[in-house]
Amino acid sequence: MKFIKLVSVFTLLLVSLSTQAQHGWRDGNRVGLLGGINTTSLITENVNAKPEMGWTAGLQVRGNMYNYWSGVYGIRFIESNFSVNSKSLLSRNQEINYKLIAAQVHFLFSYNVIEDVMSFDFGPVLQINSDLKFKKGYEKYRIQDSNFIVEDLKKVTPFNALAYVGTTIGGRVVRVNINYTIGINNFFNRLNNQENVVEKNDGDNLKARMGVLSGQLQINL
């Protein structure tokens, strides 16, 4: 419930700013709707995770700044997925899918390589996410090549900072956005507050970062 309330606040704030931007900025500014797919990698030595496909959707505003530079801010809703191999005492190896639902707020700098055709975008992203979700019944399955069971990794860090780099290509109305975001802080840091989880890692803290490669189709209003 707390996650939903935070996302709602960010959404209302962005819609308000977007409405002001349409009336107050120069003609070169755009409000865009976007949607597409992503693939998420968990960068860690604690478990062997396999990237899986997810989706991305959102809203962003692009505004002129100075000469060839623009500013981009927006919100994206993301479903990220990755999987691990695991097994129970009485079953064969089973691939378990972890799902993460998140909202991302980004504030980017954009260099217009070719005006209204191609830009290079980069900047910080704040992510608010849920706990990791997995199919009921697999809680006690042991993750392969580790001492963890599936439910051990559930309570990940809810607030994450990421760095964004990407490019936007197309026309004034329809554009393609390709980007990569990588986590800055420790995605597993919250797990280190659980002594039983740290003990399974030979007493060492767990460390992980998210890496998300994403592609979206963007429609400018």
Side-chain angles (χ1 to χ4, degrees):
M1 184 63 69
K2 183 178 180 180
F3 171 72
I4 295 175
K5 288 181 179 179
L6 287 170
V7 171
S8 298
V9 170
F10 276 116
T11 304
L12 290 172
L13 176 62
L14 185 65
V15 170
S16 175
L17 291 173
S18 300
T19 303
Q20 294 178 31
Q22 292 184 72
H23 294 286
W25 290 5
R26 302 202 309 268
D27 291 339
N29 297 285
R30 299 284 183 272
V31 177
L33 302 175
L34 53 87
I37 59 175
N38 67 59
T39 179
T40 299
S41 300
L42 191 65
I43 306 169
T44 179
E45 296 181 355
N46 299 129
V47 293
N48 186 16
K50 175 185 174 184
E52 300 290 352
M53 197 75 71
W55 56 262
T56 302
L59 167 72
Q60 69 179 24
V61 178
R62 175 180 295 270
N64 294 325
M65 291 178 63
Y66 179 75
N67 287 342
Y68 297 104
W69 290 92
S70 298
V72 181
Y73 62 91
I75 186 169
R76 302 186 185 205
F77 299 97
I78 295 177
E79 178 191 281
S80 295
N81 293 277
F82 62 88
S83 61
V84 296
N85 286 325
S86 64
K87 65 179 301 182
S88 69
L89 294 176
L90 302 176
S91 72
R92 297 180 178 179
N93 288 355
Q94 180 73 35
E95 193 171 84
I96 307 298
N97 185 78
Y98 281 107
K99 179 185 297 184
L100 184 78
I101 304 298
Q104 291 184 344
V105 179
H106 59 266
F107 300 89
L108 310 177
F109 295 99
S110 178
Y111 181 76
N112 298 298
V113 180
I114 304 174
E115 187 176 2
D116 287 329
V117 175
M118 180 179 180
S119 65
F120 174 69
D121 311 321
F122 61 94
V125 177
L126 172 64
Q127 175 172 292
I128 306 168
N129 52 257
S130 65
D131 291 341
L132 289 178
K133 302 180 184 300
F134 47 85
K135 191 173 181 180
K136 189 175 181 180
Y138 292 112
E139 293 87 348
K140 303 301 181 182
Y141 276 53
R142 185 170 298 279
I143 298 175
Q144 197 173 58
D145 300 322
S146 79
N147 295 320
F148 306 115
I149 58 176
V150 170
E151 68 178 358
D152 283 339
L153 305 185
K154 179 180 178 180
K155 293 187 177 299
V156 293
T157 305
F159 294 94
N160 290 276
L162 303 97
Y164 176 114
V165 61
T167 183
T168 303
I169 303 172
R172 293 173 65 89
V173 178
V174 180
R175 313 194 80 181
V176 174
N177 188 306
I178 301 171
N179 59 82
Y180 182 75
T181 55
I182 186 167
I184 298 173
N185 62 303
N186 184 1
F187 184 63
F188 278 169
N189 190 55
R190 188 182 178 195
L191 297 176
N192 294 324
N193 296 325
Q194 303 178 40
E195 292 184 7
N196 63 314
V197 176
V198 175
E199 288 175 0
K200 293 180 180 180
N201 197 42
D202 298 325
D204 294 330
N205 284 342
L206 286 76
K207 297 179 181 179
R209 293 191 294 167
M210 291 185 65
V212 183
L213 178 63
S214 184
Q216 300 98 39
L217 182 67
Q218 179 176 320
I219 307 296
N220 290 325
L221 304 178

